[in-house]
Amino acid sequence: MQNEKVIYDDGDHKCIVFSFDNEEVEESFLAVNQYLIIQKNSAILIDPGSQSTYDEVYDAVCRYIDIDNLKYIFYSHQDPDVAGSIGKWSVSCAAQQIVSKQWIRFMSHYGLMNFNRVIPLEDKGAKIHFGEDYLHFIPAHFLHSPGNFSLYDSRSKILFSGDIGTSITSYYGAKSQDVTFGEIRESLEGFHKRYMAGNRFCKVWVQKVKEHDVHTMAPQHGSLLSGEEYDNFLAWFKDLECGGDLMESIY
Amino acid sequence: MESKNNYKKLAKLAKDFTLLYIEDNSGLQKQASKIFKKFFPKVIVATNGQEGLEFFKKYYPDIIISDIKMPKMNGLDMARKIKEIDNDAQIIITSAFDEKEYLLESIDIGITKYLKKPIPLEELIEILLDVISQQNDKKNRRLFDAYTKDAFEYQDHMLIFIEKDEVLMVNKKCLEFFAQENSKTFKELFKTFSKLLLPHENFLYEKDTQSWLEIIKEQDGKLFNVKLKDTKNKNRHFVLKANKIPDKDNYYILSFDDISELGLLEEDNPNLTDEQKAQEEKIKMINLLHVLKRNKTKIKLYNSYKGLSISNTGIIEEVLSNQIKIKTTYLQQRAIHIDKKTTIESELFSKALECSLVNLNFETQSVVLNNFSFTPFLPSKQKYVRVMPESSSFVDIYFDAIRLSVKIHILDISIEGSKLSFNSLPAGLKENSELILKLRLGSKTSPLNMDVKAEVLKIEEHKDEFIVIVVFKLESESKKLLIDYIAKRQMALIREFKGLQNAE
């Protein structure tokens, strides 16, 4: 299994995807993607994952940068496959940890109570400088977590969408493959219908991300979608009935 | 009963109002005027539209009641001309005819009410009450707008109202400080405002990476120190804050609070005695705490539990000459309760403020503190997580290949280094000395044994001990083991702190 791949590189700015973890889902598996954005001497790690993959992700990050240059670690939401390793990362580097303010007090369950280096994200999101460019934290609440954000990197034009766009397939971020929306549509459907809270939230998120010039969507699980395939995903997601819209089928 | 109440109400409300009544039927005019005079202190009567218009220009009445069909100029033509003069004029049209044409024309002109004669007195009173209370609301609104504009103009702080990076309004205080004639000239000056922010350590000024305005807008509500020169070329110290207008994107009020009088920009006077210096510092501290309270600014509180930093925000509720009352979270209160002290940091302080606990109330979330003193050590600058190892942990240290025989105790450990307590200082040990540490960390049953190279960073002499701070030179495998140990210890200390479970 190929574990890492550079998905953007213009000489000064680089984005890398790691796929170190699998979660078994019925007869298939769900690859977990971790991302690293580097600009010159600064880096941000996105959704570093659970305790069990900490060592591999740490080593992978060190292959690309000096750990002292890891400036930020962003956790899109509170799930263990996203933030389970926050306690270890707090010990191993001096990076600032960016997380929804809704989840901060729960982080002590993952072994973090020193909030000196925690940047709490307000519900409305934020925009921070990253080198010469910006990182936008776009609200994605209730998709699926109540305190959830997508991250848009204005330089690479990649939207790190967290659980939005998760497809339960044998495709994963670090696998070199052009995937079409049509190919993964079925494998998107089950997850999104059950995990996303309702169509109102999907619509608002689509409206929000359309404010940005996105070339590629990079979800936390499954494959990346670019260009027209990303547009097809948005068109589908905008009208998706899910969660509360399908309550009768759940209860 | 209701109508009697309304009469009284109208008489009361109409006491400052002037009524212009236009009616060509002399019988009706006399009868109606008599009634109006019971409520309005001033009633002006005209017999046709032309006269009505002249009287309007002369007396500027608050309410106009007019018939339609009259000689010289009819009521609707007059109303149209009055509206051209004052669009807010309140005009009530009365007519004996139920003609749709007139009604439509009245709507077009913007007539307040269209009434069909004969008008029962009760109905007329109710309508007048309605019109007068609307007028009163408008008057109050105008008064409020004028007052808030005044408040903006004459605020003690300098205020600038902006949309994105354009100035919309600026107050008098600000124009005076920058010696600007009017807001137009200030708008020009604001385009190069970054040049006016003077560089000063830990202050806000234009740096290459990000514009000052972007920085304060991204952190609205936060306080920033800024230094500006006044017209006499003297440095002034301001606290700058950007307040976002709720529900309006890109609209902010920038406020500059002049705190030069606190003397924080001045160098310490070398002629003062230590006692005088301490007294001056205390006054500065209290004044700064007042600034924080006035701006309702969040402060950061720091405590530690067995090396583990516990930090939350707080708000200053009360500042007295020798103590302050703050409000903070339950967890921080708990940490303060254990520590019997806390350390306060604010963006306004270049140093941190240490204070002792007087008392705390878990129900009201309040903490009373006293014995303030500045400390140059800023807890927020602590880069790495530190923990105090279990009591069974110990270290043997080798210096020049000889095992040190002094008593050594590990106070805390991070992946960068360790703080050690020595009961006496071995001969030759100094800063930059190279050591080998044989660490035994964790429980007696499954300890982590590590040999680590280290260098002495700092030695502090205390009353009964020497504090020696060492920096590790870790191999990557040792580093991983240490990360793992500290993360587990951190988790154990969190559990212990939260419920004192598994306490040693």
Side-chain angles (χ1 to χ4, degrees), chain A residues 6-244:
Chain A
V6 175
I7 52 173
Y8 179 88
D9 191 354
D10 64 15
D12 284 332
H13 190 92
K14 197 185 263 190
C15 301
I16 305 130
V17 56
F18 308 113
S19 304
F20 286 120
D21 201 8
N22 293 331
E23 285 166 18
E24 283 183 26
V25 183
E26 293 167 13
E27 285 155 18
S28 180
F29 69 88
L30 188 59
V32 185
N33 303 321
Q34 296 91 21
Y35 298 95
L36 181 69
I37 310 175
I38 306 168
Q39 190 175 117
K40 291 178 183 160
N41 287 330
S42 297
I44 175 167
L45 180 62
I46 300 164
D47 290 345
S50 63
Q51 278 232 31
S52 63
T53 51
Y54 163 82
D55 281 342
E56 284 157 293
V57 178
Y58 180 85
D59 287 345
V61 171
C62 292
R63 278 200 292 278
Y64 287 91
I65 49 151
D66 181 339
I67 199 73
D68 286 339
N69 291 337
L70 187 61
K71 207 170 172 190
Y72 303 110
I73 304 175
F74 166 60
Y75 304 88
S76 62
H77 59 290
Q78 83 294 357
D79 276 353
D81 63 344
V82 169
S85 56
I86 193 167
K88 273 200 154 179
W89 284 102
S90 75
V91 172
S92 60
C93 65
Q96 308 230 57
Q97 319 239 18
I98 305 172
V99 62
S100 159
K101 72 168 190 180
Q102 305 296 342
W103 294 120
I104 286 178
R105 64 202 160 104
F106 293 89
M107 289 300 123
S108 65
H109 298 284
Y110 292 145
L112 176 79
M113 215 169 68
N114 178 349
F115 302 129
N116 288 0
R117 287 187 276 123
V118 174
I119 301 177
L121 280 179
E122 296 290 328
D123 281 346
K124 62 182 179 181
K127 179 176 136 182
I128 60 167
H129 260 274
F130 184 65
E132 296 160 3
D133 303 280
Y134 287 105
L135 298 173
H136 299 257
F137 299 92
I138 303 166
H141 307 309
F142 298 98
L143 299 170
H144 64 91
S145 163
N148 191 41
F149 292 90
S150 300
L151 170 60
Y152 175 67
D153 170 21
S154 67
R155 177 78 163 253
S156 67
K157 304 197 185 306
I158 298 175
L159 175 69
F160 299 92
S161 55
D163 273 330
I164 302 168
T166 287
S167 51
I168 301 169
T169 64
S170 58
Y171 300 121
Y172 54 91
K175 194 171 179 179
S176 269
Q177 198 147 1
D178 286 329
V179 179
T180 66
F181 170 72
E183 280 175 79
I184 58 167
R185 184 188 168 138
E186 254 182 57
S187 58
L188 286 162
E189 222 155 51
F191 177 83
H192 286 80
K193 280 187 169 175
R194 182 64 183 84
Y195 281 78
M196 303 295 149
N199 181 260
R200 274 179 75 182
F201 300 104
C202 306
K203 276 199 163 61
V204 176
W205 182 82
V206 169
Q207 200 184 331
K208 278 268 161 204
V209 296
K210 276 190 171 173
E211 291 169 12
H212 302 278
D213 178 19
V214 176
H215 286 187
T216 300
M217 177 175 76
Q220 201 221 341
H221 305 277
S223 63
L224 281 60
L225 288 174
S226 298
E228 210 178 300
E229 304 309 325
Y230 164 70
D231 294 336
N232 291 337
F233 172 82
L234 288 191
W236 167 81
F237 192 57
K238 183 171 70 75
D239 294 328
L240 182 75
E241 287 201 333
C242 53

Side-chain angles (χ1 to χ4, degrees), chain A residues 59 88 108 111 116-117, chain B residues 210 302 383 480 484 490 498:
Chain A
D59 287 345
K88 273 200 154 179
S108 65
N116 288 0
R117 287 187 276 123
Chain B
Q210 202 178 357
Y302 291 88
K383 268 170 85 179
K480 273 192 185 167
D484 199 42
Q490 176 173 236
K498 278 183 166 180

